[in-house]
Amino acid sequence: MGNDIGRAGSHGRTSDRRFGRWRALAAAGLAAVACGAAAAATPPSSASNAPAGAPTELEQQSRALERASQSVVGVQVLALEDARSNATLGRVRQGSGVVIGSDGLILTIGYLVLEADQVQIVLDDNRAVPARVVGYDLASGFGLLQSLAPLRLPAAPLGGSGSVGTDEPLLVASGGDAGRLSMARLVSRRSFAGYWEYRIDGALFTAPPRGDHSGAGLFNSRGELVGIGSLVVAEVRPAGEGDGTRRPGNMFVPTDLLRPILGELRSRGTSSASRRAWLGVNCVEDAGVLHVVRVSGDSPAEAAGLRVGDRIVAIDGSAVDSLDTLWTKLWSGGPAERDVALDIERDGRRQTLALRSIDRAQSIRRASGV
């Protein structure tokens, strides 16, 4: 197949050194959590009620985060040579994943494994273990991997992302030999609409930003996984909030979206919600105006003559002024493969384009035997 995936990170580094570094960081991070939470909610006398020699709450939380950090691995992917996604994601991709099953099941962000040809899991000591793609879910954005050899790593428990409080301290962990830990805080939770025909509810927006966010794990103080890293964003606060300056950060896909579909992903490779219309268009939203910034090759949008620079003003006769509205109306308008009327403005003139949407899942290329 050629272009085999290379190993990232520095060689000769031992897992014991990384273990000690991560434990120290986890303990320090949890100290900040405990100082704030305990001071606000715990009566001073309650500490005396603990049995002699019993681990303190801080020690218990530190151990939980230590186990959580051990569940994070590196993910390296070589996409198919003819993958459509190579144009935007590149053929060689690197990120992280989190072990969520004792059988070596790994949760990551879907775009890393989209149209994958080869997948490797990179461990602390720079060992690479082959893996296969179990599922890729368009609707949520999750990807599932299965290690093809024993990992002997703890599985991270899934937490309730909906119960994470605003400004709550969290732990962000990336994996592989170059993985690292840092503290972050939840700034906001809200729906998110992406320029690439993507929308989810309950996205978690954290600060400060991490550049190695792709597939990174977001953990609460109990060591429970509450999100998977997706993007760097320029503003983590909701529209209209703040002092006029931008506060950059990351967007994490909440694990609450995984629970209802995990069985379906394992058995079918995707969720029923992912069987939906696709046009092949990227748009950006600016003050209620939707501008086309990219048209995918060999897509319904390209076939209909949509161009970069066009402004989308309506779909199937309904006006749209946001990405959220555009994608919601597209997916709720009928079956995945159907006729779609797109009203646009081009060179100051309004016109209607007739598109025939397709099922996005059917257009994704897969390695032989997958």
Side-chain angles (χ1 to χ4, degrees):
M1 284 178 283
N3 291 324
D4 287 342
I5 303 172
R7 296 182 182 180
S10 57
H11 293 267
R13 201 165 132 202
T14 67
S15 59
D16 286 343
R17 288 173 60 192
R18 186 175 186 235
F19 180 91
R21 176 174 61 89
W22 276 25
R23 179 174 176 80
L25 283 169
L30 258 295
V33 176
C35 286
T42 305
S45 61
S46 60
S48 61
N49 297 328
T56 65
E57 181 180 0
L58 178 57
E59 289 171 335
Q60 292 175 342
Q61 290 177 327
S62 182
R63 291 171 186 172
L65 280 187
E66 178 187 323
R67 291 193 298 270
S69 70
Q70 294 171 3
S71 71
V72 184
V73 296
V75 176
Q76 293 187 344
V77 175
L78 181 68
L80 292 164
E81 188 173 2
D82 61 347
R84 296 172 186 265
S85 55
N86 291 348
T88 53
L89 298 173
R91 191 180 179 201
V92 178
R93 306 166 193 174
Q94 297 188 34
S96 302
V98 182
V99 178
I100 61 170
S102 59
D103 58 351
L105 188 68
I106 297 168
L107 181 65
T108 186
I109 196 67
Y111 60 74
L112 282 180
V113 301
L114 175 60
E115 301 180 307
D117 186 16
Q118 301 176 45
V119 181
Q120 290 184 342
I121 304 305
V122 183
L123 306 180
D124 293 357
D125 56 4
N126 206 45
R127 286 187 298 122
V129 177
R132 67 180 179 89
V133 178
V134 173
Y136 168 64
D137 191 52
L138 285 163
S140 65
F142 286 127
L144 273 184
L145 300 173
Q146 178 67 59
S147 171
L148 298 180
L151 295 177
R152 298 182 178 87
L153 296 175
L158 297 181
S161 52
S163 63
V164 179
T166 301
D167 208 37
E168 179 175 336
L170 301 165
L171 186 74
V172 181
S174 60
D177 186 59
R180 66 187 183 94
L181 298 181
S182 67
M183 297 300 295
R185 289 184 180 272
L186 180 68
V187 178
S188 65
R189 181 194 296 107
R190 62 185 189 277
S191 63
F192 171 80
Y195 62 84
W196 64 98
E197 299 185 51
Y198 175 70
R199 182 200 177 279
I200 58 171
D201 287 317
L204 303 175
F205 292 84
T206 65
R210 281 275 295 265
D212 57 344
H213 52 79
S214 299
L218 184 69
F219 298 92
N220 62 20
S221 62
R222 294 179 296 280
E224 298 168 336
L225 181 67
V226 295
I228 290 291
S230 179
L231 298 169
V232 171
V233 294
E235 178 56 74
V236 292
R237 293 168 295 195
E241 292 189 11
D243 55 5
T245 61
R246 288 191 171 184
R247 186 178 184 186
N250 293 115
M251 187 277 278
F252 286 81
V253 180
T255 53
D256 283 355
L257 298 182
L258 179 66
R259 294 177 184 276
I261 64 171
L262 181 56
E264 196 174 13
L265 285 183
R266 297 199 70 165
S267 62
R268 298 181 51 214
T270 190
S271 69
S272 56
S274 293
R275 304 290 181 181
R276 61 192 188 188
W278 180 71
L279 302 180
V281 59
N282 291 174
C283 298
V284 295
E285 175 185 333
D286 181 20
V289 179
L290 301 179
H291 301 272
V292 176
V293 295
R294 183 176 181 273
V295 177
S296 299
D298 194 25
S299 67
E302 183 184 62
L306 191 67
R307 302 176 188 170
V308 172
D310 288 345
R311 296 168 56 183
I312 298 177
V313 295
I315 183 170
D316 292 332
S318 297
V320 291
D321 59 2
S322 69
L323 292 174
D324 193 300
T325 304
L326 176 61
W327 306 143
T328 299
K329 289 186 178 297
L330 170 64
W331 300 328
S332 64
E337 298 182 1
R338 63 183 178 87
D339 293 328
V340 176
L342 206 61
D343 289 356
I344 65 166
E345 287 186 0
R346 178 185 298 165
D347 299 327
R349 298 195 311 177
R350 183 162 175 160
Q351 57 182 288
T352 300
L353 300 181
L355 292 79
R356 180 70 181 176
S357 66
I358 63 174
D359 184 340
R360 176 69 174 104
Q362 299 304 314
S363 70
I364 295 174
R365 292 183 169 90
R366 293 171 173 82
S368 299
V370 177

